[in-house]
Amino acid sequence: AVLPRRRRQAMFAIYAFCRQVDDIADGDAPLDARRRDLGAWRARIARLYEGEADDAVTRELRRAIHAYDLRQADFLAVIDGM
């Protein structure tokens, strides 16, 4: 493995987040539903920065945020790009 284990786990968590929001954006749901679901991710990201995580992906993201000082604005930019 090229990356140390902790960095690799952080990258997997970031990738999982990106996949989830991309799947929402590219999904077959009506536009309003996709906007709602992306908005829910915006709220989940905000909660991460308050220390809350509600599933495996957000728990790993929370660890990565703290370990690598990741910026909330960068996660929101990914969502905005969808």
Side-chain angles (χ1 to χ4, degrees), residues 59-71:
R59 282 190 296 276
E60 287 299 322
L61 280 176
R62 185 181 61 200
R63 286 185 193 108
I65 287 166
H66 292 289
Y68 301 105
D69 199 28
L70 303 177
R71 297 178 331 141

Side-chain angles (χ1 to χ4, degrees), residues 3 7 17 19 56 69 71 74:
L3 294 174
R7 281 189 180 259
F17 156 74
R19 279 299 309 263
D69 199 28
R71 297 178 331 141
D74 293 331

Side-chain angles (χ1 to χ4, degrees), residues 13-54:
I14 293 166
Y15 176 75
F17 156 74
C18 290
R19 279 299 309 263
Q20 287 190 21
V21 296
D22 184 60
D23 287 349
I24 292 167
D26 291 343
D28 294 332
L31 181 59
D32 288 344
R34 288 182 284 155
R35 284 185 176 149
R36 181 197 65 233
D37 292 345
L38 289 172
W41 257 108
R42 289 180 72 80
R44 290 175 84 187
I45 294 298
R47 288 193 306 272
L48 278 175
Y49 283 85
E50 296 169 356
E52 295 179 35
D54 58 10

